Amino acid sequence: MTKPPHDSVSSAAFSGEPGRIARFVSGKILMAKSPKQYLTLVFSNPFNWLLAVVLAIGIPLLIQRYATGLGSVTHGSQDYPWGLLLGFGLFGMVPLSASGFLLSTAVEIFGRHDLKPIERLALLNGLLGYFFAVVYLLVDLGMPWRLTYPMFVSFGPAAVLFLVAWHVATYLSVQIGEMIPAFAEWIGWDRGKKFIKRITLGLTIAGIILSTLHQGALGALFCYAPGKIHPLWISPEFQWIHFFCSSIYAGLCMVIVVSTLVAFFLRLRCDENFKNSLDRITITLSRGAAYAMVTYLVIKLVALAHDQEWGYLLTGWGGYYVSEMVIGVILPLVLLTYGSRHHLIPMLRIGSLLAVLGILWNRLNTVILCYNWKLHQEIPHFKEVWLVLTILAIYIITYRFILYRLPVLFTWKESDRSNNPAR
Amino acid sequence: MKSIRFSRRRLVTISLAGVMTGLLAPLQRNARGSDFPGYTESKGVLVDLTRCVGCRTCEAACNLENQLPAPERPFNDMSIFNEQSDHLRRPDDKAFTVVNRYDSGSSVSPVYRKIQCNHCQEPACLTSCFVNAYTITAEGAVLYNHQVCVGCRTCMIACPFSVPAFCYSSAFSPQIMKCNFCYPTRLVQGRPPACVEACPRDALTFGERAELLRIARQRIKRNKGRYINYIYGENEAGGTSWLYIAGVPFNEVGFDEDIPKQPIINYVKDFLAIVPMVLTIWPGLFAGIHLLVKRRATAIDNDPKLAESDHDKTAA
Ligand code: SF4
Ligand code: SF4
């Protein structure tokens, strides 16, 4: 097996010398396996077969969408301009990816170094979540090649979406900056790491600002449709706080869910430090999430009282609203509170999963179900559902690819550079 | 101590940076507030539902004027009214305007209603657009520019009347389609829109908006019992250029009576107002917290009594 020599890896990544690139590919990308060994390994996992099936149907659908228009893979509805692609991909993914800014704030600003072992996972979760939210957007936008128009061509600075576009773009770069240390360790690029270390505080604070604003802005977008969304799901004065506040527990719970998956399926990539501190960290994160949930519930109640919407609670929509609150927020809150008091890790993990699903449910309700509630309802086209799954599959593959290679779940030791830990 | 002084300097830098970005906060250029009285020369159309007989001539005229694709069924095919159940027709990517029939409980004969862009005085579509694809002319026409449109469809979400439609079937130049008040072909020369000119029953009246409001009030007053005493569009969504009077309650003929009586942008102002605050206050606030936490940690580290503390020095 070709193993990259000790200190030439960094140049291997950049130089054009074919031998070195080959060594970089086999050593880093294929994790010191031959292509054949690597493929055998990939297809020995049944989950990969499932992903392959999703992609086998999804990629042609994606081609169809770009060749023949959005209407060929969705209902092309004039009444429901935003469907599952945005409802799940943008409005769902972004709150679940608040993890990056939450954990970097906790560690870098509040000095909670006990959370350090999970910081990189949270950052990666944030970066990938935002990146794939943009991918979903690129599938859904009518003219994706004009994605940068609001930055360079034509400006509508008074529009909420203008703010979202700018902030998501800037925040994506901030998150890339925050992930550079892990990447730099992997390819052996010390200067990159040192540089980021110097500007960490600035990056973190930029992350807080941008996150507060665009998480809130995603909610504020619906203030443009005060009369179209069911009153229980829209409250113009509070919408941005609702979205921001719920993104806090969404991000924290998502980290718990991802770390659970990782601890079960990627155990070999986790170092002792990560494994040993995971239970303690799960409890800490759960407590934080529970606080955010209480705040969220209180603001929800304030909004109900402020808009005088008690009457709606007695209708069928009210029942649906209450069930969203109970299953998506109150039940997870109970599980997280009880579980963190009695140190019941499985309970915390189930509670977090429920909260994550609750967030998705809430966002889909706001975007699709309770939007145009006075009109007919629409069930998403199966091709649109499949497209959502396809992007999700690519997200999972990318996520796993990085976790296998970059020092996210383990702390990088210099010896790792010459001897990439095999699976 | 050295590190703390350094952080303090950094605190100032960061706060300054915050103020700078604050200056870049959304300019509330388009957010004109509800006290805006409207352009004086603002034009409009008064639609009298009691006069409309559902002949669909306006639909045909609009199709011709704007060179839209030929309809699936000819415009003189009235059977189209019979087939609408819960999915009433609406303006879409192939038709800027449609006429629907309603069987109102308050009237023995059916009532017809023409739907098109109402050309709001403070259009939600315009204020929600992040690439400024919409403009409003001095005459009150709300126009869309397909050259900068990205296809995000926020305007469709924002329009309280659900007017803008998207060409989902086009892969390479999908655009928003909506009534343009015949601005490019007629209004710019002071001529009335094609649909108005085509109407054989005088159901559509073109004129200055202020004058139309006067006419509407007069008609309501002079013909006791013929009209409901309400002008739809006078205040809806902050006021629209197209105004409606009818002989039956508006909610019985498909008008949404829950549309706010103020411009849609007013609902977004709360959020827009916090943006500069967050941009300016957050940097100093969090840098300050960081400084406090760090100073406390340093104090603990330097305290010999706490040498055994479990504070994680390696991670700091
Ligand atoms: S009716 Fe809708 S599309 Fe027309 S100007 Fe008003 S907001 Fe814009
Ligand atoms: S004003 Fe012109 S574009 Fe608008 S509905 Fe009438 S004919 Fe069509």
Side-chain angles (χ1 to χ4, degrees):
Chain A
M1 272 316 307
T2 44
K3 265 180 204 156
H6 185 75
D7 49 13
S8 66
V9 187
S10 70
S11 47
F14 301 113
S15 81
E17 215 181 300
R20 289 199 168 160
I21 289 180
R23 252 176 281 150
F24 175 76
V25 169
S26 66
K28 293 285 182 186
I29 305 291
L30 302 183
M31 300 190 299
K33 290 179 184 61
S34 77
K36 218 173 141 198
Q37 280 174 315
Y38 187 77
L39 277 180
T40 327
L41 198 72
V42 165
F43 283 103
S44 64
N45 179 350
F47 181 65
N48 286 340
W49 284 97
L50 183 71
L51 292 176
V53 172
V54 171
L55 292 182
I57 301 172
I59 301 287
L61 285 181
L62 212 53
I63 296 171
Q64 184 187 12
R65 178 258 171 270
Y66 283 109
T68 58
L70 207 48
S72 61
V73 291
T74 68
H75 286 309
S77 167
Q78 307 295 0
D79 291 322
Y80 286 84
W82 290 347
L84 202 61
L85 278 167
L86 283 192
F88 176 87
L90 181 70
F91 292 98
M93 284 294 251
V94 169
L96 295 183
S97 311
S99 57
F101 104 87
L102 290 169
L103 265 291
S104 61
T105 308
V107 176
E108 310 296 343
I109 306 286
F110 294 108
R112 291 297 302 261
H113 296 294
D114 54 324
L115 295 172
K116 190 97 184 167
I118 209 154
E119 188 189 5
R120 276 197 182 166
L121 181 62
L123 287 175
L124 179 67
N125 181 64
L127 174 60
L128 288 181
Y130 275 83
F131 182 78
F132 277 88
V134 175
V135 173
Y136 276 110
L137 194 66
L138 286 175
V139 178
D140 190 78
L141 277 183
M143 283 163 277
W145 53 91
R146 292 186 178 175
L147 182 72
T148 54
Y149 269 34
M151 281 93 193
F152 302 115
V153 177
S154 183
F155 312 108
V160 173
L161 197 64
F162 185 77
L163 192 132
V164 176
W166 269 89
H167 285 194
V168 169
T170 326
Y171 186 47
L172 208 51
S173 357
V174 168
Q175 286 189 308
I176 291 174
E178 289 180 316
M179 270 318 274
I180 280 183
F183 182 72
E185 285 169 3
W186 183 54
I187 61 165
W189 182 37
D190 285 342
R191 275 175 50 205
K193 190 182 166 185
K194 282 205 190 98
F195 173 69
I196 295 296
K197 215 169 171 162
R198 281 219 309 275
I199 59 167
T200 303
L201 182 63
L203 284 179
T204 309
I205 292 183
I208 309 176
I209 300 172
L210 295 167
S211 298
T212 317
L213 288 178
H214 70 244
Q215 295 284 1
L218 285 182
L221 270 180
F222 294 99
C223 299
Y224 282 116
K228 288 176 162 184
I229 298 172
H230 190 282
L232 286 173
W233 278 270
I234 178 92
S235 172
E237 286 90 348
F238 299 97
Q239 198 74 1
W240 75 269
I241 314 183
H242 286 161
F243 270 56
F244 174 63
C245 211
S246 52
S247 80
I248 294 180
Y249 69 77
L252 296 177
C253 291
M254 184 69 176
V255 177
I256 297 180
V257 170
V258 173
S259 65
T260 307
L261 292 174
V262 158
F264 276 104
F265 297 112
L266 261 78
R267 196 148 191 91
L268 284 162
R269 295 312 264 176
C270 309
D271 66 4
E272 291 307 312
N273 184 21
F274 182 86
K275 279 187 274 193
N276 295 340
S277 51
L278 190 56
D279 285 357
R280 183 175 47 74
I281 288 177
T282 304
I283 294 170
T284 313
L285 295 182
S286 302
R287 285 214 185 104
Y291 279 124
M293 284 174 170
V294 172
T295 320
Y296 177 67
L297 282 172
V298 170
I299 309 172
K300 274 283 197 194
L301 275 181
V302 170
L304 273 185
H306 177 275
D307 299 347
Q308 291 294 320
E309 279 159 357
W310 305 109
Y312 285 112
L313 286 181
L314 301 175
T315 64
W317 286 98
Y320 187 60
Y321 174 83
V322 171
S323 62
E324 183 201 300
M325 282 295 120
V326 171
I327 302 173
V329 191
I330 298 176
L331 185 58
L333 172 62
V334 172
L335 292 177
L336 291 187
T337 318
Y338 189 85
S340 56
R341 183 158 305 155
H342 300 275
H343 298 186
L344 302 167
I345 305 300
M347 183 183 263
L348 296 178
R349 292 177 164 163
I350 291 170
S352 298
L353 180 64
L354 212 55
V356 165
L357 297 177
I359 284 289
L360 292 175
W361 190 15
N362 169 264
R363 298 307 194 260
L364 289 179
N365 280 342
T366 317
V367 183
I368 305 174
L369 235 107
C370 309
Y371 177 80
N372 269 345
W373 62 293
K374 287 180 251 176
L375 255 85
H376 57 99
Q377 290 295 336
E378 249 177 35
I379 300 162
H381 197 286
F382 89 91
K383 288 184 179 173
E384 189 176 0
V385 178
W386 203 280
L387 272 183
V388 167
L389 290 178
T390 307
I391 310 291
L392 197 64
I394 303 176
Y395 166 77
I396 294 172
I397 292 170
T398 317
Y399 213 137
R400 201 178 50 177
F401 181 91
I402 296 178
L403 287 181
Y404 265 126
R405 288 162 182 83
L406 264 55
V408 172
L409 305 170
F410 58 94
T411 314
W412 192 268
K413 288 186 227 68
E414 268 319 294
S415 59
D416 293 343
R417 184 159 299 159
S418 52
N419 188 11
N420 210 341
R423 218 173 80 100
Chain B
M1 266 342 270
K2 190 170 173 249
S3 79
I4 287 177
R5 204 176 309 140
F6 177 62
S7 303
R8 223 177 262 155
R9 196 179 65 209
R10 184 117 53 104
L11 174 70
V12 175
T13 327
I14 291 173
S15 310
L16 272 180
V19 174
M20 295 304 285
T21 36
L23 297 177
L24 297 174
L27 315 161
Q28 306 214 351
R29 183 178 45 83
N30 290 328
R32 276 193 313 223
S34 49
D35 45 356
F36 174 71
Y39 292 109
T40 39
E41 65 268 55
S42 180
K43 298 282 189 293
V45 172
L46 175 63
V47 186
D48 190 333
L49 267 66
T50 65
R51 294 183 181 183
C52 180
V53 291
C55 66
R56 301 184 64 206
T57 313
C58 54
E59 282 189 49
C62 177
N63 177 281
L64 194 71
E65 180 77 22
N66 295 291
Q67 295 165 1
L68 296 173
E72 268 166 39
R73 286 159 62 183
F75 286 112
N76 55 17
D77 181 354
M78 299 304 151
S79 65
I80 208 154
F81 293 133
N82 301 330
E83 289 150 25
Q84 14 179 295
S85 49
D86 52 336
H87 278 59
L88 284 178
R89 291 196 305 149
R90 55 160 283 168
D92 60 20
D93 51 332
K94 297 187 186 68
F96 288 169
T97 185
V98 297
V99 176
N100 280 337
R101 187 179 73 192
Y102 299 83
D103 296 307
S104 154
S106 325
S107 156
V108 270
S109 48
V111 179
Y112 298 92
R113 169 199 171 203
K114 176 184 185 302
I115 312 173
Q116 75 299 307
C117 172
N118 285 323
H119 298 277
C120 305
Q121 297 189 304
E122 292 193 51
C125 55
L126 183 152
T127 43
S128 74
C129 180
F130 74 149
V131 285
N132 219 9
Y134 286 87
T135 40
I136 182 164
T137 71
E139 294 85 351
V142 179
L143 304 178
Y144 159 82
N145 170 10
H146 68 88
Q147 275 166 349
V148 296
C149 176
V150 180
C152 71
R153 309 192 290 286
T154 311
C155 53
M156 298 168 70
I157 297 274
C159 172
F161 305 100
S162 301
V163 166
F166 190 68
C167 300
Y168 287 99
S169 55
S170 164
F172 302 110
S173 61
Q175 352 173 326
I176 292 288
M177 303 290 270
K178 78 165 194 69
C179 154
N180 54 23
F181 215 149
C182 289
Y183 182 84
T185 50
R186 292 163 159 267
L187 207 61
V188 78
Q189 307 148 9
R191 288 162 61 213
C195 53
V196 173
E197 216 166 70
C199 178
R201 307 292 298 223
D202 238 354
L204 310 171
T205 315
F206 172 75
E208 306 224 319
R209 186 174 185 269
E211 176 64 18
L212 292 176
L213 281 170
R214 247 192 314 277
I215 297 177
R217 284 210 186 83
Q218 238 166 38
R219 272 194 214 165
I220 294 173
K221 205 157 119 199
R222 291 226 182 111
N223 306 277
K224 283 258 151 34
R226 188 178 161 94
Y227 295 101
I228 299 286
N229 186 14
Y230 190 78
I231 306 173
Y232 191 94
E234 184 175 10
N235 298 313
E236 271 68 20
T240 58
S241 297
W242 283 60
L243 304 162
Y244 303 82
I245 48 176
V248 294
F250 281 96
N251 61 1
E252 289 181 12
V253 286
F255 286 88
D256 186 351
E257 290 191 323
D258 296 336
I259 287 178
K261 302 288 181 283
Q262 49 175 321
I264 298 296
I265 186 70
N266 285 5
Y267 291 89
V268 190
K269 278 185 178 155
D270 284 326
F271 174 72
L272 291 179
I274 65 128
V275 174
M277 287 201 291
V278 170
L279 282 173
T280 44
I281 299 173
W282 261 213
L285 183 66
F286 284 95
I289 295 176
H290 172 73
L291 192 64
L292 280 177
V293 171
K294 201 165 174 184
R295 182 183 277 169
R296 205 180 55 195
T298 320
I300 293 174
D301 284 349
N302 294 342
D303 189 338
K305 272 184 289 181
L306 295 173
E308 299 294 289
S309 104
D310 59 357
H311 180 70
D312 188 0
K313 280 181 217 167
T314 48

